Coordinates of all heavy atoms in Angstrom, one line a residue:
M29 N -8.0 -0.8 17.5 CA -7.3 -0.4 16.2 C -7.7 1.1 15.9 O -8.8 1.5 16.1 CB -7.9 -1.3 15.1 CG -7.1 -1.1 13.8 SD -7.8 -2.1 12.5 CE -7.3 -1.2 11.1
Q30 N -6.6 1.8 15.6 CA -6.8 3.2 15.2 C -7.5 3.4 13.9 O -7.5 2.5 13.1 CB -5.4 3.9 15.1 CG -4.8 4.2 16.5 CD -3.4 4.8 16.3 OE1 -2.5 4.1 16.0 NE2 -3.3 6.1 16.5
K31 N -8.2 4.5 13.8 CA -8.9 4.8 12.6 C -8.0 4.8 11.4 O -6.9 5.3 11.4 CB -9.6 6.1 12.7 CG -10.7 6.4 11.6 CD -11.4 7.7 11.9 CE -12.1 8.1 10.7 NZ -11.3 8.6 9.6
M32 N -8.4 4.1 10.3 CA -7.6 4.1 9.1 C -7.8 5.3 8.3 O -8.8 5.4 7.6 CB -7.9 2.8 8.3 CG -7.1 2.6 7.1 SD -5.3 2.2 7.4 CE -5.4 0.5 7.8
D33 N -6.9 6.3 8.4 CA -7.1 7.5 7.5 C -6.3 7.2 6.2 O -5.5 6.3 6.1 CB -6.6 8.7 8.2 CG -5.2 8.6 8.7 OD1 -4.3 8.6 7.8 OD2 -5.0 8.6 9.9
C34 N -6.5 8.1 5.3 CA -5.8 7.9 4.0 C -4.3 8.0 4.0 O -3.6 7.3 3.3 CB -6.4 8.9 3.0 SG -6.1 10.6 3.4
F35 N -3.8 8.8 5.0 CA -2.3 8.8 5.1 C -1.8 7.5 5.6 O -0.8 7.0 5.1 CB -1.9 10.0 6.0 CG -2.2 11.3 5.4 CD1 -3.4 11.9 5.6 CD2 -1.2 11.9 4.7 CE1 -3.7 13.2 5.1 CE2 -1.5 13.2 4.1 CZ -2.7 13.8 4.3
R36 N -2.4 7.0 6.7 CA -2.0 5.7 7.3 C -2.1 4.6 6.2 O -1.2 3.8 6.1 CB -2.8 5.4 8.5 CG -2.3 4.3 9.4 CD -3.3 4.1 10.5 NE -3.5 5.2 11.3 CZ -2.7 5.6 12.3 NH1 -1.6 4.9 12.5 NH2 -2.9 6.7 13.0
A37 N -3.2 4.6 5.5 CA -3.5 3.6 4.5 C -2.4 3.6 3.4 O -1.9 2.6 3.0 CB -4.9 3.7 4.0
C38 N -2.1 4.8 3.0 CA -1.2 5.0 1.9 C 0.2 4.5 2.3 O 0.9 3.8 1.6 CB -1.1 6.5 1.5 SG 0.0 6.8 0.1
R39 N 0.6 4.9 3.5 CA 2.0 4.4 4.0 C 2.0 2.9 4.2 O 2.9 2.2 3.7 CB 2.2 5.1 5.4 CG 3.3 6.1 5.3 CD 3.5 6.7 6.7 NE 2.2 6.9 7.4 CZ 2.1 7.2 8.6 NH1 3.2 7.4 9.4 NH2 0.9 7.4 9.2
L40 N 0.9 2.4 4.8 CA 0.9 0.9 5.1 C 0.9 0.2 3.7 O 1.6 -0.8 3.6 CB -0.4 0.6 5.9 CG -0.6 -0.8 6.3 CD1 0.6 -1.2 7.3 CD2 -1.9 -1.0 7.0
S41 N 0.1 0.7 2.8 CA -0.1 0.0 1.5 C 1.3 0.0 0.8 O 1.7 -1.0 0.2 CB -1.1 0.7 0.7 OG -1.1 0.2 -0.6
N42 N 2.0 1.1 0.8 CA 3.3 1.2 0.1 C 4.3 0.2 0.8 O 5.0 -0.5 0.1 CB 3.8 2.6 0.2 CG 3.3 3.4 -1.0 OD1 3.3 3.0 -2.1 ND2 2.7 4.6 -0.7
R43 N 4.3 0.2 2.1 CA 5.2 -0.7 2.8 C 4.9 -2.1 2.5 O 5.8 -2.9 2.2 CB 5.2 -0.4 4.3 CG 6.0 0.7 4.7 CD 6.1 0.9 6.2 NE 6.4 2.3 6.5 CZ 6.1 2.9 7.6 NH1 5.6 2.2 8.6 NH2 6.4 4.1 7.8
M44 N 3.6 -2.5 2.6 CA 3.3 -3.9 2.3 C 3.6 -4.3 0.9 O 4.1 -5.4 0.6 CB 1.8 -4.1 2.7 CG 1.6 -4.1 4.2 SD -0.2 -4.3 4.6 CE -0.5 -6.0 4.2
A45 N 3.3 -3.4 0.0 CA 3.5 -3.7 -1.5 C 5.0 -3.9 -1.7 O 5.5 -4.8 -2.4 CB 3.0 -2.6 -2.3
M46 N 5.8 -3.0 -1.1 CA 7.3 -3.1 -1.2 C 7.8 -4.4 -0.6 O 8.6 -5.1 -1.2 CB 7.9 -1.9 -0.6 CG 8.9 -1.2 -1.5 SD 9.6 0.2 -0.6 CE 8.3 1.4 -0.7
G47 N 7.4 -4.6 0.6 CA 7.9 -5.8 1.3 C 7.4 -7.1 0.7 O 8.2 -8.0 0.5
G48 N 6.2 -7.1 0.2 CA 5.6 -8.2 -0.4 C 6.3 -8.5 -1.8 O 6.7 -9.7 -2.1
T49 N 6.6 -7.5 -2.5 CA 7.3 -7.6 -3.8 C 8.7 -8.2 -3.5 O 9.1 -9.1 -4.2 CB 7.4 -6.3 -4.5 OG1 6.1 -5.8 -4.7 CG2 8.1 -6.5 -5.9
A50 N 9.4 -7.6 -2.5 CA 10.7 -8.1 -2.2 C 10.7 -9.6 -1.8 O 11.5 -10.4 -2.3 CB 11.3 -7.3 -1.1
G51 N 9.7 -9.9 -1.0 CA 9.6 -11.3 -0.6 C 9.4 -12.3 -1.7 O 10.0 -13.3 -1.9
A52 N 8.5 -11.8 -2.6 CA 8.1 -12.7 -3.8 C 9.3 -12.8 -4.7 O 9.6 -13.9 -5.2 CB 6.9 -12.0 -4.5
V53 N 10.0 -11.7 -5.0 CA 11.1 -11.7 -5.9 C 12.2 -12.6 -5.3 O 12.8 -13.4 -6.0 CB 11.6 -10.3 -6.2 CG1 13.0 -10.3 -6.9 CG2 10.6 -9.6 -7.1
I54 N 12.5 -12.4 -4.1 CA 13.6 -13.2 -3.4 C 13.2 -14.6 -3.4 O 14.0 -15.5 -3.7 CB 13.8 -12.6 -2.0 CG1 14.5 -11.3 -2.0 CG2 14.7 -13.6 -1.2 CD1 14.5 -10.6 -0.7
G55 N 11.9 -14.9 -3.0 CA 11.5 -16.3 -3.0 C 11.6 -16.9 -4.3 O 12.1 -18.1 -4.5
C56 N 11.1 -16.3 -5.4 CA 11.1 -16.8 -6.7 C 12.6 -17.0 -7.2 O 13.0 -18.0 -7.8 CB 10.4 -16.0 -7.7 SG 8.6 -16.0 -7.5
G57 N 13.4 -16.0 -7.0 CA 14.8 -16.0 -7.5 C 15.6 -17.1 -6.8 O 16.2 -17.9 -7.5
L58 N 15.5 -17.1 -5.5 CA 16.3 -18.2 -4.8 C 15.7 -19.6 -5.0 O 16.5 -20.5 -5.1 CB 16.4 -17.8 -3.3 CG 17.2 -16.5 -3.0 CD1 17.3 -16.3 -1.5 CD2 18.6 -16.6 -3.6
G59 N 14.4 -19.6 -5.2 CA 13.8 -20.9 -5.4 C 14.2 -21.5 -6.7 O 14.4 -22.7 -6.8
S60 N 14.4 -20.6 -7.7 CA 14.8 -21.1 -9.0 C 16.2 -21.6 -9.0 O 16.6 -22.4 -9.8 CB 14.5 -20.1 -10.1 OG 15.4 -19.0 -9.9
L61 N 17.0 -21.0 -8.2 CA 18.4 -21.4 -8.1 C 18.5 -22.8 -7.3 O 19.5 -23.5 -7.4 CB 19.2 -20.4 -7.3 CG 19.4 -19.1 -8.1 CD1 20.2 -18.1 -7.2 CD2 20.2 -19.3 -9.4
A62 N 17.5 -23.0 -6.5 CA 17.4 -24.3 -5.7 C 18.7 -24.5 -4.8 O 19.2 -25.6 -4.7 CB 17.3 -25.5 -6.7
L63 N 19.1 -23.4 -4.2 CA 20.3 -23.5 -3.3 C 19.8 -24.1 -2.0 O 20.5 -24.9 -1.4 CB 20.8 -22.1 -3.0 CG 21.5 -21.4 -4.2 CD1 21.9 -20.0 -3.8 CD2 22.7 -22.2 -4.7
V64 N 18.6 -23.8 -1.7 CA 18.0 -24.3 -0.4 C 16.7 -25.0 -0.8 O 16.3 -24.9 -2.0 CB 17.8 -23.2 0.6 CG1 17.7 -23.7 2.0 CG2 18.8 -22.1 0.5
S65 N 16.1 -25.6 0.1 CA 14.8 -26.3 -0.1 C 13.8 -25.4 -0.9 O 13.5 -24.2 -0.5 CB 14.2 -26.6 1.3 OG 12.8 -26.9 1.1
R66 N 13.3 -25.9 -2.0 CA 12.4 -25.1 -2.8 C 11.1 -24.8 -2.1 O 10.5 -23.7 -2.2 CB 12.0 -26.0 -4.1 CG 12.9 -25.7 -5.2 CD 12.6 -26.7 -6.3 NE 13.7 -26.7 -7.3 CZ 13.7 -26.0 -8.4 NH1 12.6 -25.2 -8.6 NH2 14.7 -26.0 -9.3
A67 N 10.7 -25.7 -1.2 CA 9.5 -25.5 -0.5 C 9.5 -24.3 0.4 O 8.6 -23.5 0.5 CB 9.1 -26.7 0.4
L68 N 10.7 -24.1 1.0 CA 10.9 -22.9 1.9 C 10.8 -21.6 1.1 O 10.0 -20.7 1.5 CB 12.3 -23.0 2.5 CG 12.7 -21.9 3.5 CD1 11.8 -22.0 4.8 CD2 14.1 -22.0 3.9
W69 N 11.4 -21.5 0.0 CA 11.4 -20.3 -0.8 C 10.0 -20.1 -1.5 O 9.6 -19.1 -1.7 CB 12.5 -20.3 -1.9 CG 13.8 -20.3 -1.2 CD1 14.8 -21.3 -1.2 CD2 14.4 -19.3 -0.4 NE1 15.9 -20.9 -0.5 CE2 15.7 -19.7 0.0 CE3 13.9 -18.0 0.0 CZ2 16.5 -18.9 0.8 CZ3 14.7 -17.2 0.8 CH2 16.0 -17.7 1.2
G70 N 9.4 -21.3 -1.7 CA 8.0 -21.2 -2.3 C 7.1 -20.5 -1.3 O 6.3 -19.7 -1.7
V71 N 7.2 -20.9 0.0 CA 6.4 -20.2 1.0 C 6.7 -18.7 1.1 O 5.7 -17.9 1.1 CB 6.7 -20.9 2.4 CG1 6.1 -20.1 3.5 CG2 6.2 -22.3 2.4
L72 N 7.9 -18.4 0.9 CA 8.3 -17.0 1.0 C 7.7 -16.2 -0.2 O 7.1 -15.1 -0.1 CB 9.8 -16.8 0.9 CG 10.4 -15.4 1.1 CD1 10.0 -14.8 2.4 CD2 11.9 -15.4 0.9
A73 N 7.8 -16.9 -1.4 CA 7.2 -16.3 -2.6 C 5.7 -16.1 -2.5 O 5.2 -15.0 -2.8 CB 7.6 -17.1 -3.8
V74 N 5.0 -17.1 -2.1 CA 3.6 -17.1 -2.0 C 3.2 -16.1 -0.9 O 2.3 -15.3 -1.1 CB 3.0 -18.5 -1.7 CG1 1.5 -18.4 -1.3 CG2 3.2 -19.4 -2.8
G75 N 3.9 -16.1 0.2 CA 3.6 -15.2 1.3 C 3.9 -13.7 0.8 O 3.1 -12.8 1.2
G76 N 4.9 -13.5 0.0 CA 5.2 -12.2 -0.5 C 4.1 -11.7 -1.4 O 3.6 -10.5 -1.2
F77 N 3.6 -12.5 -2.3 CA 2.4 -12.1 -3.1 C 1.2 -11.8 -2.3 O 0.5 -10.9 -2.6 CB 2.1 -13.3 -4.1 CG 3.1 -13.2 -5.3 CD1 3.8 -14.3 -5.6 CD2 3.1 -12.1 -6.1 CE1 4.7 -14.3 -6.7 CE2 4.0 -12.1 -7.2 CZ 4.8 -13.2 -7.5
G78 N 1.0 -12.6 -1.2 CA -0.1 -12.4 -0.3 C -0.1 -11.1 0.3 O -1.1 -10.3 0.4
V79 N 1.1 -10.7 0.9 CA 1.3 -9.4 1.5 C 1.1 -8.3 0.5 O 0.5 -7.3 0.8 CB 2.7 -9.3 2.2 CG1 3.0 -7.9 2.6 CG2 2.8 -10.3 3.3
L80 N 1.6 -8.5 -0.7 CA 1.5 -7.5 -1.8 C 0.0 -7.2 -2.1 O -0.4 -6.0 -2.1 CB 2.3 -8.0 -3.0 CG 2.1 -7.2 -4.3 CD1 2.6 -5.8 -4.2 CD2 2.8 -7.9 -5.4
L81 N -0.7 -8.3 -2.3 CA -2.1 -8.1 -2.6 C -2.9 -7.5 -1.5 O -3.8 -6.6 -1.7 CB -2.7 -9.5 -3.0 CG -2.2 -10.1 -4.3 CD1 -2.9 -11.5 -4.5 CD2 -2.6 -9.2 -5.5
A82 N -2.6 -7.9 -0.2 CA -3.3 -7.3 0.9 C -3.0 -5.8 1.0 O -3.8 -5.0 1.3 CB -2.8 -8.0 2.2
G83 N -1.7 -5.5 0.8 CA -1.3 -4.0 0.8 C -2.1 -3.2 -0.2 O -2.6 -2.2 0.0
L84 N -2.2 -3.8 -1.4 CA -3.0 -3.1 -2.5 C -4.4 -3.0 -2.1 O -5.1 -1.9 -2.3 CB -2.8 -3.9 -3.8 CG -1.5 -3.8 -4.5 CD1 -1.4 -4.6 -5.7 CD2 -1.1 -2.3 -4.9
A85 N -5.0 -4.0 -1.5 CA -6.4 -4.0 -1.1 C -6.6 -2.9 -0.1 O -7.6 -2.2 -0.2 CB -6.8 -5.4 -0.6
I86 N -5.7 -2.8 0.9 CA -5.8 -1.7 1.9 C -5.8 -0.4 1.2 O -6.5 0.5 1.5 CB -4.7 -1.9 2.9 CG1 -5.0 -3.1 3.8 CG2 -4.6 -0.6 3.8 CD1 -3.9 -3.5 4.8
G87 N -4.8 -0.2 0.3 CA -4.6 1.0 -0.4 C -5.9 1.4 -1.2 O -6.4 2.6 -1.0
Y88 N -6.5 0.5 -1.9 CA -7.6 0.8 -2.7 C -8.9 1.1 -1.9 O -9.7 1.9 -2.2 CB -7.9 -0.3 -3.7 CG -6.9 -0.5 -4.8 CD1 -6.5 -1.7 -5.2 CD2 -6.3 0.6 -5.4 CE1 -5.5 -1.9 -6.2 CE2 -5.4 0.5 -6.3 CZ -5.0 -0.7 -6.8 OH -4.0 -0.9 -7.7
R89 N -8.9 0.4 -0.7 CA -10.1 0.5 0.1 C -10.1 1.8 0.9 O -11.1 2.5 1.1 CB -10.1 -0.7 1.1 CG -11.1 -0.6 2.2 CD -12.5 -0.7 1.7 NE -13.5 -0.6 2.7 CZ -13.9 0.6 3.2 NH1 -13.3 1.7 2.8 NH2 -14.8 0.6 4.2
F90 N -8.9 2.2 1.4 CA -8.8 3.3 2.4 C -8.1 4.6 1.9 O -8.3 5.6 2.5 CB -8.1 2.9 3.6 CG -8.8 1.8 4.4 CD1 -8.4 0.5 4.4 CD2 -9.9 2.2 5.2 CE1 -9.1 -0.5 5.1 CE2 -10.6 1.2 5.9 CZ -10.2 -0.1 5.8
T91 N -7.4 4.6 0.7 CA -6.8 5.8 0.3 C -7.8 6.6 -0.5 O -7.8 6.6 -1.8 CB -5.5 5.5 -0.6 OG1 -4.7 4.6 0.1 CG2 -4.8 6.7 -0.9
V92 N -8.7 7.2 0.2 CA -9.8 8.0 -0.4 C -9.8 9.4 0.3 O -9.4 9.5 1.4 CB -11.2 7.3 -0.2 CG1 -11.2 6.0 -1.1 CG2 -11.5 7.0 1.2
C93 N -10.5 10.3 -0.3 CA -10.7 11.7 0.2 C -11.5 11.6 1.5 O -12.6 11.0 1.4 CB -11.3 12.6 -0.8 SG -11.8 14.2 -0.1
P94 N -11.1 12.2 2.6 CA -11.9 12.2 3.8 C -13.1 13.0 3.7 O -14.0 12.9 4.5 CB -10.9 12.7 4.9 CG -9.8 13.5 4.1 CD -9.7 12.8 2.8
H95 N -13.2 13.9 2.7 CA -14.3 14.8 2.6 C -15.4 14.2 1.7 O -16.6 14.2 2.0 CB -13.9 16.1 2.0 CG -12.8 16.8 2.8 ND1 -13.1 17.3 4.1 CD2 -11.5 17.0 2.6 CE1 -11.9 17.8 4.5 NE2 -11.0 17.6 3.7
C96 N -15.0 13.7 0.5 CA -16.0 13.3 -0.5 C -15.9 11.8 -0.8 O -16.8 11.2 -1.4 CB -15.9 14.1 -1.8 SG -14.4 13.7 -2.7
G97 N -14.8 11.1 -0.3 CA -14.7 9.7 -0.5 C -14.1 9.3 -1.9 O -14.1 8.1 -2.2
A98 N -13.7 10.3 -2.7 CA -13.2 10.0 -4.0 C -11.8 9.3 -3.8 O -11.0 9.7 -2.9 CB -13.1 11.2 -4.8
P99 N -11.4 8.4 -4.7 CA -10.1 7.8 -4.6 C -9.0 8.8 -4.8 O -9.1 9.7 -5.7 CB -10.1 6.7 -5.6 CG -11.3 7.0 -6.5 CD -12.2 7.8 -5.8
L100 N -7.9 8.7 -4.1 CA -6.8 9.6 -4.2 C -5.6 9.0 -5.0 O -4.5 9.5 -5.0 CB -6.3 10.0 -2.8 CG -7.3 10.8 -2.0 CD1 -6.7 11.1 -0.6 CD2 -7.7 12.1 -2.7
Y101 N -5.9 7.8 -5.6 CA -4.8 7.2 -6.4 C -5.2 7.2 -7.9 O -6.4 7.4 -8.2 CB -4.6 5.7 -5.9 CG -5.9 5.0 -5.8 CD1 -6.5 4.4 -6.9 CD2 -6.6 4.9 -4.5 CE1 -7.7 3.6 -6.8 CE2 -7.8 4.1 -4.4 CZ -8.3 3.5 -5.5 OH -9.5 2.9 -5.4
D102 N -4.2 6.9 -8.7 CA -4.4 6.9 -10.1 C -4.4 5.4 -10.5 O -3.3 4.8 -10.8 CB -3.3 7.7 -10.8 CG -3.5 7.9 -12.3 OD1 -4.7 7.6 -12.7 OD2 -2.6 8.3 -13.0
F103 N -5.5 4.8 -10.5 CA -5.6 3.3 -10.7 C -4.8 2.8 -11.9 O -5.0 3.5 -12.9 CB -7.1 2.9 -10.8 CG -7.3 1.4 -10.8 CD1 -7.4 0.7 -9.6 CD2 -7.3 0.7 -12.0 CE1 -7.6 -0.7 -9.6 CE2 -7.5 -0.7 -11.9 CZ -7.6 -1.4 -10.7
P104 N -4.1 1.8 -11.8 CA -3.9 0.9 -10.7 C -2.7 1.3 -9.8 O -2.2 0.5 -9.0 CB -3.6 -0.5 -11.3 CG -2.9 -0.1 -12.6 CD -3.4 1.2 -13.0
R105 N -2.1 2.5 -10.0 CA -0.9 2.9 -9.3 C -1.2 3.6 -8.0 O -2.0 4.5 -8.0 CB -0.1 3.8 -10.2 CG 1.4 3.5 -10.3 CD 2.0 4.3 -11.4 NE 1.7 5.7 -11.3 CZ 2.3 6.6 -10.5 NH1 3.3 6.2 -9.8 NH2 1.9 7.8 -10.5
M106 N -0.6 3.2 -6.9 CA -0.8 3.9 -5.7 C 0.2 5.0 -5.6 O 1.3 4.9 -6.1 CB -0.5 2.9 -4.5 CG -1.6 1.8 -4.3 SD -3.2 2.5 -4.2 CE -3.1 3.4 -2.6
P107 N -0.2 6.2 -5.1 CA 0.7 7.3 -4.9 C 1.7 7.0 -3.8 O 1.5 6.3 -2.9 CB -0.2 8.5 -4.6 CG -1.3 7.8 -3.8 CD -1.5 6.4 -4.4
S108 N 2.9 7.7 -4.0 CA 3.9 7.5 -2.9 C 3.5 8.5 -1.8 O 3.9 8.3 -0.6 CB 5.3 7.8 -3.4 OG 5.3 9.0 -4.0
E109 N 2.8 9.5 -2.1 CA 2.2 10.3 -1.0 C 0.9 10.9 -1.4 O 0.5 11.0 -2.6 CB 3.2 11.5 -0.6 CG 4.0 12.0 -1.7 CD 5.0 13.1 -1.2 OE1 5.7 12.8 -0.2 OE2 5.0 14.2 -1.7
I110 N 0.1 11.3 -0.4 CA -1.2 11.8 -0.5 C -1.1 13.2 -1.1 O -0.3 14.0 -0.6 CB -2.0 11.8 0.8 CG1 -2.1 10.4 1.4 CG2 -3.3 12.5 0.7 CD1 -3.0 9.5 0.6
P111 N -1.9 13.6 -2.1 CA -1.9 15.0 -2.6 C -2.4 16.0 -1.6 O -3.2 15.6 -0.7 CB -2.8 14.9 -3.8 CG -3.7 13.7 -3.6 CD -2.9 12.7 -2.8
A112 N -2.0 17.2 -1.7 CA -2.4 18.2 -0.7 C -3.9 18.6 -0.8 O -4.5 18.9 0.2 CB -1.6 19.5 -0.8
Y113 N -4.4 18.5 -2.0 CA -5.8 18.8 -2.3 C -6.5 17.6 -3.0 O -5.9 17.0 -3.8 CB -5.9 20.1 -3.1 CG -5.4 21.3 -2.4 CD1 -4.1 21.7 -2.5 CD2 -6.2 22.0 -1.5 CE1 -3.6 22.8 -1.8 CE2 -5.8 23.1 -0.8 CZ -4.4 23.5 -1.0 OH -4.0 24.6 -0.3
C114 N -7.7 17.4 -2.7 CA -8.5 16.3 -3.3 C -8.7 16.7 -4.8 O -9.1 17.8 -5.2 CB -9.8 16.2 -2.6 SG -10.9 15.1 -3.5
P115 N -8.3 15.8 -5.7 CA -8.5 16.0 -7.1 C -10.0 16.1 -7.5 O -10.3 16.6 -8.6 CB -7.8 14.8 -7.8 CG -7.8 13.8 -6.8 CD -7.8 14.4 -5.4
S116 N -10.9 15.6 -6.7 CA -12.3 15.5 -7.0 C -13.1 16.7 -6.5 O -13.7 17.4 -7.2 CB -12.9 14.2 -6.5 OG -14.2 14.2 -6.7
C117 N -13.0 17.0 -5.2 CA -13.8 18.0 -4.6 C -12.9 19.3 -4.3 O -13.5 20.3 -4.0 CB -14.5 17.6 -3.3 SG -13.4 17.2 -1.9
G118 N -11.6 19.2 -4.4 CA -10.7 20.3 -4.3 C -10.5 20.8 -2.9 O -9.8 21.8 -2.6
K119 N -11.0 20.0 -1.9 CA -10.7 20.4 -0.5 C -9.3 20.0 0.0 O -8.8 19.1 -0.5 CB -11.8 19.8 0.4 CG -13.1 20.5 0.4 CD -14.1 19.9 1.5 CE -15.5 20.4 1.2 NZ -16.4 19.7 2.1
K120 N -8.8 20.8 0.9 CA -7.5 20.5 1.4 C -7.5 19.2 2.3 O -8.5 19.0 3.0 CB -7.0 21.7 2.3 CG -5.5 21.6 2.6 CD -5.1 22.9 3.3 CE -3.5 23.0 3.3 NZ -2.9 21.8 3.9
I121 N -6.5 18.4 2.1 CA -6.5 17.2 2.9 C -5.4 17.3 3.9 O -4.2 17.4 3.6 CB -6.2 16.0 1.9 CG1 -7.3 15.8 0.9 CG2 -6.0 14.7 2.7 CD1 -6.9 14.9 -0.2
D122 N -5.8 17.4 5.2 CA -4.9 17.6 6.3 C -4.4 16.3 6.8 O -5.2 15.4 7.1 CB -5.5 18.4 7.4 CG -5.7 19.9 7.0 OD1 -4.8 20.5 6.5 OD2 -6.8 20.4 7.2
P123 N -3.1 16.2 7.1 CA -2.6 15.1 7.7 C -3.1 15.0 9.2 O -3.3 16.1 9.7 CB -1.0 15.2 7.7 CG -0.7 16.5 7.0 CD -2.0 17.2 6.8
P124 N -3.2 13.8 9.7 CA -3.7 13.8 11.1 C -2.7 14.4 12.0 O -1.5 14.5 11.7 CB -3.8 12.2 11.4 CG -3.0 11.6 10.3 CD -3.0 12.5 9.1
A125 N -3.1 14.8 13.2 CA -2.3 15.5 14.2 C -1.0 14.7 14.6 O 0.0 15.3 14.8 CB -3.0 15.8 15.4
D126 N -1.1 13.4 14.6 CA 0.0 12.5 15.1 C 0.9 12.2 14.0 O 1.8 11.4 14.1 CB -0.6 11.3 15.7 CG -1.3 10.4 14.8 OD1 -1.7 10.9 13.7 OD2 -1.4 9.2 15.0
H127 N 0.7 12.8 12.8 CA 1.5 12.4 11.6 C 2.9 13.0 11.7 O 3.0 14.2 11.9 CB 0.8 12.9 10.3 CG 1.5 12.4 9.1 ND1 1.6 11.1 8.8 CD2 2.1 13.1 8.1 CE1 2.2 11.0 7.6 NE2 2.5 12.2 7.2
Ligands
ZN229 ZN1 -12.7 15.1 -2.0

């Protein structure tokens, strides 16, 4: 597994939060309409919430300054992108070479 840098964590967290939210909303919405088996959509809704929470956990755990370790998010909101400079220590935050 590649090292989890703050850029990777931020992207992954955002994608998981978005996908999880979509899954949960779709699961809840279609489940309440009962067009198809409720159990099936229930699984989608629960799975969506699980992915959402996992995405947030990754974001809170890894979206930190590589220099001082200060969080780069404004709790509880995750940023859509990493700031250019750390709000805590003021050092420049460089994206990884493969970014
Ligand atoms: Zn810092």
Side-chain angles (χ1 to χ4, degrees):
M29 189 182 155
Q30 283 175 285
K31 193 174 165 290
M32 182 69 80
D33 59 66
C34 58
F35 289 90
R36 193 184 300 278
C38 183
R39 250 178 321 170
L40 184 64
S41 173
N42 275 307
R43 276 185 205 161
M44 285 176 77
M46 231 181 283
T49 304
V53 167
I54 290 168
C56 290
L58 295 184
S60 66
L61 293 174
L63 295 174
V64 204
S65 162
R66 271 170 192 268
L68 182 69
W69 296 113
V71 168
L72 184 62
V74 171
F77 280 120
V79 170
L80 169 62
L81 290 178
L84 287 176
I86 289 172
Y88 292 141
R89 171 70 184 78
F90 293 105
T91 308
V92 294
C93 172
H95 304 291
C96 69
L100 298 176
Y101 49 82
D102 189 13
F103 188 86
R105 226 166 51 81
M106 291 305 295
S108 53
E109 33 183 50
I110 299 289
Y113 294 91
C114 172
S116 177
C117 69
K119 284 189 188 168
K120 195 172 190 311
I121 300 168
D122 287 314
D126 66 337
H127 188 63

